Amino acid sequence: MSSGGKQGGFVSYQNVFVMRHGERLDNFEPSWVMTAARPWDPPLAEAGRKRAFETGRRLRESVGLPIGRVFVSPFLRCLQTAGELVASFSDEGRGGTVAGDGVAVKPFEVKVSVEYGLCEMMNSKAIRPKVAPKDGNMGFDVAVCEAMLPAEIVDKNVERVYKELPQWEESVLQAGARYQQLIKDLADKYPTENLLLVTHGEGVQVAVSSFKKDAEVNEVDYCGYVELRRPIFKKDHTFITGEFDLLTPSGQTGVSYSLPRALENDTNQTTP
């Protein structure tokens, strides 16, 4: 969290980053689905792994504040994206920073948790009908998902908001309400920590449209992300949260959106 003054009970700001996964393999190799055991759950393409790592490195260098927790959709492409992101946050191997005296510096101490509620929209609009399981059962298991991540970063004790996947053939509106509420629920559970949510394109769209009045999302690129921020207050040993604001300008981090002209002009005038 970024710190601020304490006037009126203000403690600090909480920042929440909402990011789409990297490029999926079946978009590069369409024939992959013909022999895949789980054709509805493609891994990242190599380009997706590289983009995820580079995005994490840029995020670490540009944000300048610690991310305490990463929550990730159970889909394989999201798990692999999260793995690359956390690797880029670490001093071990690629992407690390070293202090002048040669002592390794870890700018982010992060724990990762699988959250079913961050999953893809559970309908045939998002998951291609030809590859979706006939009974809608995606066959996800949290323990299997966690095993795909480095053991030292997995928080096995976290209480998930969604205990299971949403029902198959949820509507777009239902999925949007799910993403919107989940962002708030996760933030409320950890008000003293900054969060990174690794999800799907629709989840990022909702992060924009829910917290930026009248915003219309045009495109969410792979590994595109937005930053939300809200003030945190403390009264009688209880944290009280303010409303989220969208901090990310359109097009800056792989997410483009438009605003009504009058609102857009007002935003440009008031942004420092």
Side-chain angles (χ1 to χ4, degrees), residues 198-260:
V198 182
T199 183
H200 304 262
E202 186 70 19
V204 181
Q205 290 187 44
V206 171
V208 175
S209 60
S210 296
F211 302 107
K212 188 71 170 180
K213 184 179 179 182
D214 297 324
E216 183 176 333
V217 178
N218 303 315
E219 183 179 12
V220 178
D221 201 358
Y222 289 112
C223 289
Y225 68 91
V226 294
E227 179 181 2
L228 307 173
R229 187 180 73 171
R230 67 178 180 177
I232 304 295
F233 306 89
K234 194 171 185 180
K235 182 178 180 181
D236 299 330
H237 306 290
T238 301
F239 289 107
I240 301 171
T241 60
E243 296 297 320
F244 274 117
D245 287 324
L246 175 68
L247 298 187
T248 309
S250 175
Q252 181 171 292
T253 56
V255 181
S256 63
Y257 59 90
S258 56
L259 299 168

Side-chain angles (χ1 to χ4, degrees), residues 63-212:
V63 170
L65 52 84
I67 292 176
R69 291 182 178 274
V70 176
F71 291 93
V72 57
S73 159
F75 280 79
L76 179 56
R77 55 192 180 275
C78 293
L79 294 167
Q80 292 177 334
T81 297
E84 293 293 333
L85 291 168
V86 173
S88 75
F89 295 163
S90 172
D91 64 284
E92 298 172 2
R94 302 170 294 171
T97 58
V98 178
D101 58 2
V103 178
V105 176
K106 289 186 178 181
F108 294 110
E109 293 291 345
V110 62
K111 288 295 184 183
V112 181
S113 304
V114 177
E115 172 54 58
Y116 282 134
L118 289 172
C119 71
E120 180 65 277
M121 288 195 299
M122 298 299 286
N123 57 41
S124 53
K125 178 179 180 180
I127 301 174
R128 300 160 189 172
K130 290 184 178 179
V131 302
K134 303 261 188 246
D135 59 359
N137 182 5
M138 300 289 163
F140 288 114
D141 180 272
V142 168
V144 174
C145 294
E146 290 176 340
M148 298 178 186
L149 298 164
E152 64 272 14
I153 67 173
V154 175
D155 185 353
K156 295 181 178 292
N157 298 317
V158 71
E159 183 179 351
R160 270 166 274 281
V161 176
Y162 276 73
K163 313 300 183 189
E164 58 186 20
L165 289 175
Q167 290 296 311
W168 178 245
E169 289 298 3
E170 67 176 343
S171 69
V172 174
L173 288 177
Q174 288 172 325
R178 162 166 62 89
Y179 291 128
Q180 180 181 4
Q181 188 61 48
L182 185 59
I183 291 171
K184 294 178 180 178
D185 287 345
L186 290 172
D188 286 345
K189 286 185 70 174
Y190 304 96
T192 63
E193 297 183 80
N194 298 311
L195 311 180
L196 171 59
L197 314 183
V198 182
T199 183
H200 304 262
E202 186 70 19
V204 181
Q205 290 187 44
V206 171
V208 175
S209 60
S210 296
F211 302 107
K212 188 71 170 180

